């Protein structure tokens, strides 16, 4: 390779005769341009950085002069540069090929075997490393092993590291990559920055905790995350990090109940304090079995089989309707991020595609037949749709007015008269300068009048609140001129209806009122509607070269390449009078506050006759005063409802499912069934419960709540004593299914 590089330095310099040139320079007797016979124009001449020849911008096919940092080459110098680079690439490839062939030949000459060479070529590439501490043990082990096995030198390792490092890792050692002698120092700095055991442990522990914090933990994912932590800590020889008994408890609590029992038996049998290594080894076979049973268990948490605790307890399973009907993850449909971040139209489209109800977001029916449809009630809306589908009325933006004095503030946009042209067609119109727009737009009607044509390219416009709209568009080039030079705008996008605001500028009145604007060359206009918007795609037209400004209540004038323009807010003349009155009133209030502060009565020793009360406290006192009653030797008191129209969530299906589950359990235990019948008969006799009539059962009321119930057996008592467990809820309207 060294021989090949030396050959590259001996490449003969290309000459004009060696290049195949179709363009010939002329001897210009009128000026210095070598491509025409025209006179020199000082502002429109450019010099080649290689041959020092001068050319007109139009002859060199340039729109503007290149910057000082950008190199400019003429036609012939450009061709010479291309041919020289091609020759360099050709010689370099030839030299590399000769170097490889020579290396193989030397290997065969030594021991008639080229296997070591090909072996080194297979070991030369390192895995990518971007600075993530979790990847450092793998990267370091591969680097050490391949360096020893392939006998790589520091120079070769420097090249390997340069190709493998990226991101923060490459930035960390960028200053050391200048010499092969720095390779040991590079590895040391990387290890100190990204390979410290505590840093690696924290990141791997964070990955493990993300799995533990899931609502339904997948043992396969848990086993993989735990194995990553254990393997990397063993590789770093930091076994002490794996003796955290609290982490072991957190992990085992997230396992299914049958695995918790199995792990407890293992711990009791060994009679020693387990480590994360022991837990990982024990959990691996169970995870492998689950992988065989459920091929997708490693990627989905929703297909895990439900595991039951001891049969003597009733386990409440996760309902199927807790799964999102859109993304099928373990959260409610109304909490789905896909639905939350979407705009109003996109939300309707998502629900329609998934065939969901627009009221309850459930499957299997539509809004018309929804049994749970209720009013939106958001901002007084009475429509029976879900709150996520509530579309607020468009607010009418009015001019800002002062509530006390009634003066109006006029706001002026950056609008300026311009002249648009294309060949022989010219249109006088107005331009809207908008630094907040990433594109420059032109009204499609104006583009048609000018005969502009270009490549069709659909345009997606995005506003605030994630509102977007796709419209057909073309990329056109246009010439624009204000009060001065003409400029070319390339890549302007056409839009069917630009819809920019109209504006009038009474320039005589403004110049008379604001003296600092009196000498500016600005023309007034009436009801001017801009037809072209200039955005950040053409920043040179937005750049200001001069400005005039007085105070916050006065307009600002700026000078651009298209001329002077006025923008900002202009308050009416009575604004100053209103402001002065307001300042006097504020001064009086400040004086009164200072007087009160200096008064001894306000130093914190003044007795407050009555403490302030919150609205909730006032409502509670009102309910107590109205409902407190002494009856039959006892006091009766109304419940402290937060509001009068409180309602309960739907509870019928939950109570019915609990009742069916209880009946199935009682059929298997006749003694417990007899006890339950006796208990309910006692409730009926004492009036604690009653059987519902069919009419009551079919009635719907937001304040009806069905009490689910089940039987709990205390095994610690001898004999075991059952008891009926009800949901504890205080309400003035209670129903119970029996």
């Amino acid at each position: 390779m060294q021989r090949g590089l030396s050959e590259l330095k001996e490449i003969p310099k290309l000459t004009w005769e060696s290049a195949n040139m179709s363009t010939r320079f002329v001897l210009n007797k009128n000026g210095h341009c070598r491509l025409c016979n025209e006179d020199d124009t000082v502002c429109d001449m450019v010099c080649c950085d290689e041959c020092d020849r001068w050319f007109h911008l139009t002859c060199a096919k340039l729109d503007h002069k290149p910057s000082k940092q950008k190199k400019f080459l003429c036609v012939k110098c450009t061709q010479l540069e291309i041919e020289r680079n091609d020759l360099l690439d050709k010689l370099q490839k030839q030299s590399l090929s000769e170097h490889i062939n020579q290396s193989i030949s030397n290997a065969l000459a030594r021991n008639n075997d080229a296997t070591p060479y090909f072996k080194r070529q297979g070991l030369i590439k390192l895995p990518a490393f971007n600075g993530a501490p979790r990847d450092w043990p793998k990267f370091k082990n591969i680097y050490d092993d391949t360096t020893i096995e392939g006998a790589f030198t520091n120079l070769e390792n420097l090249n390997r590291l340069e190709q493998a490092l990226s991101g923060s890792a490459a930035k960390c050692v960028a200053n050391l990559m200048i010499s092969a002698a720095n390779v040991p120092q590079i590895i040391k700095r990387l290890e100190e920055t990204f390979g410290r055991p505590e840093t690696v442990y924290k990141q791997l522990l964070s990955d493990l905790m993300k799995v533990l914090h899931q609502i339904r933990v997948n043992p396969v994912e848990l086993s993989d995350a735990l194995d990553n932590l254990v393997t990397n800590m063993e590789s770093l020889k930091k076994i002490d990090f794996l003796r955290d008994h609290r982490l072991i408890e957190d992990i085992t609590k997230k396992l299914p109940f049958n695995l918790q029992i199995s792990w407890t038996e293992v711990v009791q049998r060994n009679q020693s304090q387990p480590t994360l290594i022991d837990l990982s080894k024990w959990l691996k076979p169970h995870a492998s079995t689950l992988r065989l049973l459920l091929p997708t268990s490693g990627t989905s948490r929703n297909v895990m089989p439900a595991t039951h605790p001891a049969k003597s307890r009733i386990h409440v399973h996760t309902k199927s309707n807790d799964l999102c009907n859109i993304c099928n993850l373990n959260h409610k449909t109304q909490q789905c991020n896909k639905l939350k971040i979407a705009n109003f139209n996109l939300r309707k489209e998502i629900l329609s595609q998934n065939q969901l109800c627009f009221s309850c977001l459930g499957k299997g029916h539509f809004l018309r037949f929804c049994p749970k449809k209720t009013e939106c009630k958001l901002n007084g809306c009475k429509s029976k749709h879900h709150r996520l589908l509530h579309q607020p009325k468009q607010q009418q933006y009015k001019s800002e007015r002062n509530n006390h004095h009634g003066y109006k503030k006029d706001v002026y946009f950056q609008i300026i008269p311009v002249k648009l042209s294309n060949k022989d067609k010219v249109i006088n119109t107005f331009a809207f300068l908008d630094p907040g727009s990433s594109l420059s737009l032109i009204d499609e009607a104006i583009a048609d009048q000018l005969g502009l044509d270009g490549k069709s390219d659909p345009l997606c416009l995005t506003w605030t609140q994630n509102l977007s709209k796709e419209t057909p568009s073309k990329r056109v080039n246009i010439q624009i001129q204000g009060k001065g030079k003409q400029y070319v705008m390339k890549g302007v996008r056409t839009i069917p209806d630009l819809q920019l605001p109209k504006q009038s500028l009474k320039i005589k009145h403004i110049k008379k009122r604001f003296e600092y604007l009196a000498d500016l060359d600005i023309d007034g206009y009436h009801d001017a509607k801009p037809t072209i918007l200039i955005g950040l795609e053409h920043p040179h037209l937005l750049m200001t070269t001069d400005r005039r400004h007085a105070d916050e209540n006065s307009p600002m004038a700026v000078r651009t390449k298209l001329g002077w323009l006025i923008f900002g807010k202009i308050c009416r003349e009575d604004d100053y009078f209103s402001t002065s009155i307001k300042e006097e009133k504020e001064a009086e209030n400040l004086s009164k506050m200072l007087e009160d502060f200096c008064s001894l009565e306000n130093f914190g020793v003044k007795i407050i006759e009555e403490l302030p009360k919150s609205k909730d406290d006032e409502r509670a006192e009102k309910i107590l005063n109205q409902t407190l009653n002494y009856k039959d030797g006892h006091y009766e008191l109304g419940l402290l409802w937060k509001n009068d129209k409180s309602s309960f969530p739907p509870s019928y299906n939950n109570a019915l499912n609990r009742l069916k589950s209880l009946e199935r359990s009682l059929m298997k235990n006749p003694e417990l069934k007899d006890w339950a019948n006796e208990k309910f008969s006692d409730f009926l006799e004492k009036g604690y419960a009653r059987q519902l009539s069919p009419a009551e059962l079919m009635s719907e009321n937001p304040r009806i709540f069905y009490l689910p119930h089940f039987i709990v057996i205390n095994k610690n008592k001898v004999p075991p004593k059952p008891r009926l467990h009800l949901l504890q809820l205080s309400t003035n309207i209670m129903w119970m299914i029996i």
Side-chain angles (χ1 to χ4, degrees), residues 528-720:
K529 184 177 181 180
T531 58
I532 182 171
L533 183 145
I534 303 176
L536 294 176
E537 202 170 29
H538 300 88
H540 60 288
L541 298 179
L542 300 175
M543 184 180 62
T544 60
T545 58
D546 195 3
R547 65 176 181 176
R548 302 279 183 89
H549 186 49
D551 53 42
E552 60 180 8
N553 293 316
S554 303
M556 175 183 286
V558 295
R559 184 179 183 179
T560 67
K561 292 187 176 182
L562 300 176
W564 282 93
L565 59 90
I566 293 176
F567 70 97
K569 66 178 182 179
I570 302 178
C571 300
R572 289 187 175 179
E573 295 178 357
D574 56 351
D575 177 29
Y576 297 100
F577 175 72
S578 303
T579 304
S580 62
I581 294 178
K582 184 177 179 181
E583 290 176 353
E584 291 178 2
K585 190 173 182 179
E586 290 178 352
E588 292 178 1
N589 293 337
L590 183 61
S591 177
K592 182 67 169 58
M593 290 171 61
L594 183 61
E595 182 180 348
D596 292 341
F597 178 77
C598 296
S599 175
L600 291 176
E601 294 182 356
N602 292 328
F603 266 21
V605 297
K606 185 177 181 179
I607 299 175
I608 301 176
E609 297 179 358
E610 184 178 0
L611 293 174
K613 298 178 182 178
S614 65
K615 292 183 179 180
D616 291 341
D617 291 341
E618 292 177 355
R619 176 177 172 81
E621 287 188 4
K622 184 178 179 181
I623 293 175
L624 292 175
N625 295 331
Q626 291 178 353
T627 61
L628 184 62
N629 185 25
Y630 185 77
K631 184 179 179 181
D632 299 333
H634 300 281
Y635 283 99
E636 291 181 349
L637 188 64
L639 293 173
L640 302 178
W641 292 101
K642 192 170 185 179
N643 53 68
D644 295 328
K645 295 183 179 181
S646 57
S647 60
F648 295 107
S651 58
Y652 178 82
N653 292 332
N654 186 25
L656 182 61
N657 293 335
R658 182 64 62 80
L659 176 60
K660 291 178 180 179
S661 177
L662 178 60
E663 288 177 346
R664 289 193 296 268
S665 300
L666 293 177
M667 293 298 292
K668 300 176 183 178
N669 193 341
E671 295 181 1
L672 188 62
K673 179 180 178 181
D674 295 338
W675 177 87
N677 289 332
E678 182 182 349
K679 195 69 175 178
F680 278 109
S681 299
D682 186 41
F683 282 175
L684 290 172
E685 291 177 3
K686 293 181 179 179
Y688 295 163
R690 65 180 177 85
Q691 189 170 0
L692 300 179
S693 64
E696 291 173 331
L697 190 61
M698 295 300 295
S699 62
E700 293 185 2
N701 192 310
R703 303 193 71 173
I704 291 178
F705 188 86
Y706 295 90
L707 285 175
H709 57 280
F710 54 92
I711 297 174
V712 178
I713 299 176
N714 190 349
K715 292 186 175 182
N716 296 324
K717 293 187 178 181
V718 180

Side-chain angles (χ1 to χ4, degrees), residues 11 186 288 348 358 365 463 546 552 599:
I11 297 175
I186 291 172
S288 300
K348 293 182 66 176
F358 280 19
H365 64 275
W463 294 271
D546 195 3
E552 60 180 8
S599 175

Side-chain angles (χ1 to χ4, degrees), residues 369-415:
F369 305 102
C370 181
K372 301 179 182 179
K373 59 183 177 182
T374 56
E375 293 182 358
C376 172
K377 296 182 181 179
L378 191 62
N379 297 330
C381 178
K382 296 184 178 180
S383 299
K384 294 185 178 181
H385 56 242
H386 197 274
R387 289 193 170 190
L388 289 174
L389 296 177
H390 178 77
Q391 186 178 23
K393 296 181 179 179
Q394 294 182 353
Q395 298 180 353
Q396 297 179 354
Y397 296 97
K398 299 181 179 179
S399 300
E400 184 181 355
R401 294 181 178 270
N402 187 290
N403 295 328
H404 301 286
H405 307 286
Y407 71 88
K408 181 178 179 181
K409 297 178 181 178
D410 294 326
V411 178
Y412 285 85
F413 300 104
Q414 296 189 34
I415 295 177

